[in-house]
Amino acid sequence: MNHPLLPALAISFQAPAKESDFDEALRLLKSEDHEILIEEREPSGPFAGLEWLIPTAVIFFIGKAYVDGFVKEIGKDHYNLLKKALKTLWVKLVGPQSPALTIIGTAGKVRASPEYSLLFSLLAEAPDGLRFKLLIRSYASQDEYQATIDAFIDFLDAFHTGHLSPELVAEMKEIRVVGKTLLLAYDRVAKRMRPVDPLADRP
């Protein structure tokens, strides 16, 4: 997504995803008259780089303009609506019936079964050009996926209102930020977001 003026919300996708995968989410979000950009990308060739920073086939983008709206009291309905819309994507993009992606790479350097989805991720704007990328565990159960979405949107709310826990703030300061992108994943034990080092656990 290389648009000079990014919208409040956007979905950028390429095969094997298709636009109809987002019908229910779009129905919910468009009911609130938000600008939503839908962008179909041409199939891309091989990528070289850190696995978790490679663009996923589907990227759901949450712009700062949208976050600025839902952190205000008048926008709390949008906060819950966004969670509801994102949760509709589990069946097509995360669950056991979601399409599998073929991974090609040098033996010993690419995971046969990636921990996090290469099909779907969320990307959210923050101040000073920083972006948060939510890594979604491959084939997460519906309950885990819903908990992941809740935790990520709650994280965005807390970040933009200055209510992150001191523990999480300290963790974020210690993590590597590559290309102004900070990776986050859901910690199933602690039941909260945690920052992820893009160089950790490389095969």
Side-chain angles (χ1 to χ4, degrees):
M1 292 181 295
N2 297 313
H3 304 276
L5 295 175
L6 288 169
L9 297 171
I11 299 173
S12 178
F13 73 96
Q14 64 182 49
K18 52 190 183 298
E19 189 165 346
S20 60
D21 292 340
F22 318 113
D23 284 351
E24 182 62 15
L26 291 174
R27 184 187 67 79
L28 290 166
L29 293 169
K30 284 181 177 177
S31 68
E32 295 297 321
D33 297 322
H34 284 291
E35 179 191 2
I36 305 173
L37 171 69
I38 308 295
E39 171 191 77
E40 182 172 6
R41 309 192 309 271
E42 291 296 321
S44 53
F47 278 97
L50 299 175
E51 180 179 306
W52 298 336
L53 290 168
I54 291 172
T56 49
V58 177
I59 303 167
F60 192 105
F61 175 80
I62 304 170
K64 191 172 180 296
Y66 189 88
V67 177
D68 285 343
F70 79 59
V71 298
K72 298 173 183 175
E73 194 59 38
I74 195 172
K76 289 299 181 183
D77 286 343
H78 300 311
Y79 170 93
N80 292 315
L81 186 68
L82 180 59
K83 287 183 178 181
K84 185 175 180 180
L86 288 169
K87 289 175 183 178
T88 68
L89 300 177
W90 177 79
V91 172
K92 297 292 181 68
L93 301 179
V94 183
Q97 297 180 26
S98 61
L101 295 181
T102 301
I103 303 171
I104 301 172
T106 304
K109 292 189 177 181
V110 175
R111 297 176 181 84
S113 300
E115 180 179 2
Y116 299 113
S117 174
L118 298 178
L119 177 67
F120 177 42
S121 65
L122 273 66
L123 196 64
E125 269 191 309
D128 302 321
L130 180 66
R131 296 173 298 180
F132 298 117
K133 180 178 179 179
L134 174 64
L135 302 173
I136 299 168
R137 200 168 66 82
S138 297
Y139 302 109
S141 69
Q142 188 168 14
D143 286 346
E144 181 185 340
Y145 173 71
Q146 291 182 349
T148 300
I149 294 300
D150 284 339
F152 184 64
I153 302 303
D154 289 346
F155 165 86
L156 293 179
D157 185 29
F159 177 84
H160 286 278
T161 57
H163 291 106
L164 286 180
S165 69
E167 178 185 11
L168 184 50
V169 170
E171 290 173 353
M172 290 169 61
K173 288 180 179 178
E174 293 296 322
I175 213 72
R176 275 179 264 234
V177 176
V178 178
K180 290 198 169 183
T181 299
L182 190 148
L183 303 176
L184 294 163
Y186 180 63
D187 186 325
R188 291 177 286 169
V189 176
K191 300 187 184 303
R192 66 171 178 86
M193 284 290 102
R194 65 174 177 84
V196 177
D197 186 338
L199 298 178
D201 302 323
R202 297 189 76 186

